[in-house]
Structure formats: C-alpha cells, structure tokens
Amino acid sequence: MDDTQILIALAAIVVLGIGAQWLAWRLHLPAILLLLAVGTIAGPVTGFLNLEDLFGDLLLPVISLSVGIILFEGGLSLRIRDVRATWRSLVGLLTIGVVVTWIGATIAAQTLLGFPLSISLLLGSVLVVTGPTVIGPLLRDIRPSGPVGAVAKWEGIVIDPIGAVLAVLVFEVIDSIAAADYSDATREALKGLALTAASGVLVGSGAAGLLIVMLRRFWIPDYLQNAVALLFVIASQTLANLWHHEAGLVAVTVMGVILANQRSVPVHRIAEFKENLTVLLISALFIVLAARVRPSSLISLGWRGVLFAFVLILVVRPVAVWLSTIGSNLRIRERIFLAFFAPRGIVAASVASVFALRVTGGRLIAPATLLVIFITVAFYGLTAGWLARRLGLAVADPQGFLILGGNVLARKLALAIKSAGFPIVLIDTRYDHVQKARADGITAYCDNALSEHVLEHIDLGGIGRFAALTSNDEVNTLAATRFRELFGRSNVYQVTVAGARKESAEAALHHFHGRPLFGREQDLARLTTAVEKGSDIKVTPLTQEFSYDDFKEQYGERAWPLFLVAGKKVTPVSSDAPLNPKAGQSIISLLLASNNDHADTTATAT
C-alpha cells in the first residue's frame, strides 16, 4: 500500500468507528451491533479495508496494547465497595463460572464442531472471557438498577486476564503433551499460573504505587498527568508480558483497581481521559475485528457453528451463573439477567488470533471465536435491555429526576413531578430538609452530592435526569459537572441562583453549568418567594376543549410553566427548549396566589 492508501485506511477506521457510535446513539441501537455491521461492510463485503496489508505484523501488538488500555480504564471504574455486598457472587463467577464455562464450551466444541480435544480445550479457555469492550457500552445503555450492574462490570473486566492466562496455560499443557512430556505438563501449568499472577500483580501494583507517589509529591504537572499515566500503562503491560505471556493484562487491571480504590491522590482526570480514549479504541477495534473476518471461514462452520454459539448462550452460561451464585444474596431476577448476559469481545478475538498461528490445527479456533462474538453481541445487544426491563431491573428512556436540594421549592417540584407519574429522588445535606421531604412521601437521602460515595447509597432505578436547586451556585455547578458524566449533558439542569447572568459570563461558564432550568428570568429567589407567599405548583391537563391558549387566557401572567408532560416523557422548561404544548399533554406550572402578582424577588431559598 502506498502512503495515500495507508492514510485513507487509517482515517476510515476512525471515521467509521466514531460515526457508527454516533449513529447508534441517534437511532437508539446498541453501538456494538452497528460497529460490527459497518466493519463487515468496509472489510470483507467491499474490500475497502485490508488490515493485513495495512498493519502487517503490527496488527496483533497494536490490538494487545489497545486492549491493555481498555482494561486499565475498566479497572479505574472498579470500586471494591460496589461489590462488597455481593462479593460471593463475583468470586463464584470468577472461579466456578470460569471452570463450568470452560468445560461446557469444550464439550460443545468437541461434540458439535467435531474439533479435536486439544483444540476444544483451547477454544473453551478462549471463550471463558466476556469483555469490557462489549459489556461496558451495553451496561451504559441499559443502566440496570441494584447490584447486578456492578457484578456484571467486575466480571467483564477481571475475567479477561483470567481467560487469557487460562488459554496460555492450556496451550503450555498441550505443548508439553505434544512433546510427550506428560510428567511435566501439570508442573509447567502450575508454574505458568504462578509466574503470570506474580508478574502481573507485582508489575501492576509497583506501577500504581510509583504513579501515586509521583502524583502525591507533585512530580508531574497537571497537563502531563494523563500522558504519564498512559506511559505507565503501556510500560507496565509490556514489562509484564516480557516477564510472562499475557501477564500484561493482569498488570494493567491490577494497576487500575489500585488507583481506583486508593485515597491518597485524585485520579478523576486520568479516569476521564482514559474513558474518552477507550471510546475511540473500542470504536476502532470493532471496525478492525469485523473487517478481518473472512465470510468463507464462518460459512465453513455451517449450522453447527450457529448451534455451538447458542448452546453457549442458552445452556452453558445459565448453568455457570446458577452454580456460581448458589447461596448468594442476588435475587432470582438478577441471577436471570446475569445468566443471559455474556457477550464476547475483542479480547477473545485477539487471544484466538494469537493461538491460531501458534497451535497445530489452530486455524479452527479463530473462525469459531469470531462467529461466537458476532452471535453473542447480536443476541445480547438486542435482548439484554429488553430482558432487564421485563425483569424490572431497568427502565427504557428513564425520565425520573434526581433533585439536589431539599428547600421548599425543590419539595414542591418533586411532589408535582411524582404526581405526574415519574420517579423522584431528592438529596440534601440538611437533615431537616430531608425529614420534611420524607414526610411528604418523597424518596430523600441526607448525603453530599459531591461525595465520592454518594452513588453507593442511592438507587437510581428509573432516574435519567438531574436538577440542581440549591441556593449555592458553586455547589450546583460542581454537581452538574459531575452528573453530566452519568446522565449526559442534555439531561442535567441547573437553576439560576442570582438572577440572569450576563450572556458573556454564561457563554464562558457553559462548559461547566447544567442546562438553564426554567430560563433566566425564573431564578431561585423569585420562584421560592412565590411559593412562600402561597403560590402552588400544579399539573394541568390540556385537551381539545382546554388548549394551551385557553390555559394562558385563564391564568395569564399568574402561570409560570415549569415542565411539560407528554405521555411517558417529562421535559423541563428551559431557555434552550421552547414550550410547545398540545392536546393530550400536561403542564406543570407555578400558579401565583392572588396576592403574589408583584412578589418581592429578593428572598432566598429555605
């Protein structure tokens, strides 16, 4: 390939990957499905991308480093407290579940695909892994409530190095047996396991400890923190891999978990950078994965390959989860969700590609693994969200509100939104405010929204929006910045505290603030004063006989519209979202009391 073709191919991987992610978001489709479809069209269907010519021998090392960065980012999201109550389930999935999946996949490969025992054992070990490259995006779309999401996330990240190490050990045993060295097979396997675990843990913990020291002593300037963290990830992965095969995946995972659970230095900037980088890497890797598939290799497996994949989905995975979670505190519906949630991803594909070249008869492993990846991603991508909703573990397009602030205005708004049929969670640091909210029947928590542990205590099932309503504009801004990561920028709102800001100031602060709640004119002081002087917040249905024009004619300037309820959606009135009510919808508005037409707007929230 000449320089121009290489440039076009590299650009195409990025453009197609990120474009598919964005299009999937617009169409409300699982991003992984669209990435695989686009990659297949760009690769084997049209021949536009020829990755062997593009990367040559660099392809697998590039994939390996990319997977290491993804696992490190996944490790940064693993908080031990998230699974403290369900640790038994997680340990079961990472031990009993691994063994059952390995044995089940091995038996299925030997009986359905007709593979030799050695190749079946190796394929079974490769298919033990699930993977954060698939599970992370799916969980972000589903957002299951309760502990099941944390368990699935931990399993998907930690099981990757376990599966890779298992595959290496199986390969070494097969290699020893092939050399007629039966006596040393077990000893070599145990030695390999010890070396892999030791090298991975030592390198990962050492790299994490050194990075923590450097950050705590300010040896790294702020603008280089992300770059140096990336340096440590790549260096530790490479060093561990040089020490022993696949130990690099263990090292980067351990490094991420240690950084996530220490309290010496903040790592949120590193985590945010790695999260953005991971989106790019996942997009590119799945385009690469799909583009490398040769349809002839998949077709050669025939109906037996499809049956093999569905045996893994419908038999092996449910049995593994059920045996792994016996005696755990997971509910039946949570165990059912885990039993039907195990998509394979890029780690399985990269490990299979390596052993396809190193093992006699290994050419059978890669197409079988790729077929399982395609089918599991498609199956779980299309069914996991539906199943979570049917089990009551998730809500499609959650419309509920997490409200920061327990003042009288926040409580009145929470009651009105709740009466319209939407879930509400209120949080405040003042216990008297929380007590009043609970007395009104509102789910309320006495906690700090900026605390690192706050999400551990709050059930966000059905919650998809955030509204900051405290009298402290700085706290509102910090909370809005934080919850934008969880709910997305379009679903985070912030009330104006000190009247309308100047346009220049608002433009400068737009990156940090939530969307303007109720517009610039309806600031917190004005709204609170109206409520304190007898005004009420009511839900008014609109019909053909009582239109929005009739509503305005009846109430005039006494009505301040706050929310629009349209079916199962509730939309706050905002300066960037004009109101357009129609028949069949409802308006949540503040109706001024008759003595409140010219209310003093200098009061503060209580």
Side-chain angles (χ1 to χ4, degrees):
M1 299 179 71
D2 59 33
D3 292 347
T4 302
Q5 290 175 315
I6 293 174
L7 177 62
I8 293 173
L10 290 174
I13 292 173
V14 175
V15 171
L16 292 175
I18 301 300
Q21 288 264 21
W22 175 79
L23 186 59
W25 172 77
R26 292 287 298 175
L27 298 177
H28 301 286
L29 293 173
I32 304 302
L33 288 180
L34 207 55
L35 285 168
L36 289 176
V38 170
T40 302
I41 294 171
V45 174
T46 64
F48 176 66
L49 287 178
N50 190 325
L51 298 176
E52 275 69 23
D53 290 344
L54 176 63
F55 290 103
D57 293 338
L58 287 175
L59 181 59
L60 291 180
V62 168
I63 291 176
S64 178
L65 287 176
S66 300
V67 170
I69 294 171
I70 292 170
L71 285 181
F72 172 70
E73 190 275 331
L76 282 174
S77 68
L78 297 182
R79 301 291 193 276
I80 293 175
R81 64 175 181 272
D82 293 341
V83 290
R84 197 167 286 156
T86 55
W87 65 269
R88 187 174 299 173
S89 304
L90 180 62
V91 171
L93 289 169
L94 297 176
T95 52
I96 298 172
V98 166
V99 173
V100 172
T101 303
W102 179 32
I103 294 173
T106 298
I107 295 173
Q110 195 172 14
T111 56
L112 294 176
L113 300 179
F115 288 0
L117 178 60
S118 59
I119 301 301
S120 298
L121 285 167
L122 192 53
L123 177 61
S125 64
V126 169
L127 294 177
V128 159
V129 304
T130 50
T133 55
V134 187
I135 285 181
L138 287 178
L139 287 177
R140 187 166 56 246
D141 291 337
I142 299 169
R143 284 194 18 223
S145 59
V148 68
V151 172
K153 180 172 67 174
W154 267 86
E155 181 198 13
I157 294 170
V158 178
I159 208 170
D160 271 357
I162 291 176
V165 170
L166 177 62
V168 171
L169 297 180
V170 172
F171 167 73
E172 291 179 350
V173 170
I174 293 173
D175 199 40
S176 298
I177 293 175
D181 192 3
Y182 301 103
S183 60
D184 287 343
T186 302
R187 180 166 56 85
E188 287 300 318
L190 294 176
K191 178 182 176 182
L193 176 61
L195 280 174
T196 304
S199 55
V201 171
L202 287 175
V203 172
S205 57
L210 180 58
L211 183 58
I212 290 170
V213 170
M214 293 177 70
L215 291 172
R216 188 168 55 202
R217 297 187 179 182
F218 304 102
W219 290 351
I220 306 173
D222 289 352
Y223 75 95
L224 281 180
Q225 284 185 6
N226 293 328
V228 172
L230 184 60
L231 177 155
F232 271 76
V233 172
I234 294 176
S236 61
Q237 181 183 3
T238 304
L239 178 60
N241 277 338
L242 291 174
W243 194 343
H244 201 271
H245 300 300
E246 302 303 332
L249 298 184
V250 178
V252 294
T253 304
V254 169
M255 182 180 172
V257 172
I258 291 175
L259 287 173
N261 290 278
Q262 54 82 36
R263 297 290 180 267
S264 300
V265 294
V267 294
H268 61 276
R269 291 182 61 184
I270 296 174
E272 183 179 353
F273 167 71
K274 293 297 183 295
E275 184 178 359
N276 294 332
L277 183 59
T278 295
V279 171
L280 175 61
L281 291 176
I282 288 176
S283 303
L285 285 177
F286 272 94
I287 294 293
V288 168
L289 168 65
R292 293 186 69 232
V293 175
R294 295 178 180 175
S296 59
S297 64
L298 299 181
I299 295 173
S300 65
L301 296 172
W303 63 268
R304 293 178 180 273
V306 176
L307 182 60
F308 171 70
F310 276 99
V311 166
L312 295 181
I313 292 171
L314 302 176
V315 179
V316 175
R317 174 63 177 182
V319 171
V321 170
W322 220 253
L323 293 177
S324 302
T325 55
I326 291 176
S328 72
N329 57 357
L330 288 180
R331 296 171 294 178
I332 292 294
R333 57 183 180 175
E334 292 167 340
R335 296 171 72 187
I336 292 174
F337 177 77
L338 287 175
F340 291 95
F341 190 67
R344 272 64 174 184
I346 197 70
V347 175
S350 61
V351 173
S353 299
V354 171
F355 290 113
L357 301 174
R358 296 173 62 184
V359 182
T360 303
R363 56 183 177 78
L364 302 171
I365 296 176
T369 303
L370 292 175
L371 184 62
V372 169
I373 291 173
F374 271 87
I375 292 178
T376 56
V377 167
F379 180 84
Y380 294 121
L382 294 173
T383 63
W386 171 84
L387 179 62
R389 292 189 290 272
R390 289 298 299 268
L391 293 172
L393 298 175
V395 178
D397 190 18
Q399 294 287 306
F401 270 86
L402 172 63
I403 294 179
L404 173 61
N407 52 60
V408 61
L409 174 65
R411 298 195 300 271
K412 290 276 189 180
L413 285 173
L415 281 175
I417 298 171
K418 182 181 178 182
S419 69
F422 300 96
I424 285 290
V425 173
L426 188 146
I427 180 172
D428 199 301
T429 54
R430 289 183 54 173
Y431 189 65
D432 58 327
H433 283 174
V434 173
Q435 278 186 315
K436 292 177 182 178
R438 290 174 178 172
D440 291 335
I442 303 168
T443 302
Y445 296 87
C446 187
D447 214 329
N448 185 348
L450 303 179
S451 167
E452 188 176 351
H453 308 282
V454 63
L455 296 180
E456 178 182 356
H457 310 132
I458 297 178
D459 183 5
L460 294 179
I463 304 297
R465 314 283 185 85
F466 174 78
L469 289 165
T470 77
S471 57
N472 189 320
D473 196 44
E474 288 75 18
V475 170
N476 290 344
T477 299
L478 290 172
T481 302
R482 178 181 184 185
F483 283 98
R484 279 162 65 168
E485 299 176 6
L486 180 64
F487 298 115
R489 189 174 65 179
S490 63
N491 294 318
V492 172
Y493 296 85
Q494 177 177 350
V495 71
T496 300
V497 171
R501 298 184 184 93
K502 294 181 180 179
E503 292 186 5
S504 58
E506 180 146 342
L509 293 173
H510 178 70
H511 175 71
F512 303 102
H513 282 267
R515 296 175 64 182
L517 189 62
F518 311 140
R520 297 185 183 89
E521 293 182 359
Q522 308 297 4
D523 60 58
L524 181 66
R526 190 176 187 215
L527 291 165
T528 303
T529 300
V531 170
E532 289 176 340
K533 292 193 174 182
S535 302
D536 203 1
I537 297 175
K538 295 183 178 180
V539 182
T540 306
L542 299 178
T543 63
Q544 296 291 348
E545 293 76 21
F546 188 76
S547 66
Y548 184 53
D549 290 335
D550 297 326
F551 173 84
K552 291 191 293 184
E553 182 178 349
Q554 177 170 335
Y555 294 107
E557 295 184 358
R558 289 184 54 228
W560 296 351
L562 305 176
F563 295 89
L564 178 64
V565 179
K568 295 182 178 181
K569 291 183 177 292
V570 56
T571 305
V573 175
S574 177
S575 59
D576 59 1
L579 196 66
N580 186 27
K582 300 177 181 177
Q585 300 175 347
S586 298
I587 297 177
I588 299 178
S589 58
L590 187 147
L591 299 179
L592 293 177
S594 57
N595 63 340
N596 203 14
D597 292 75
H598 303 287
D600 180 13
T601 62
T602 61
T604 57
T606 59

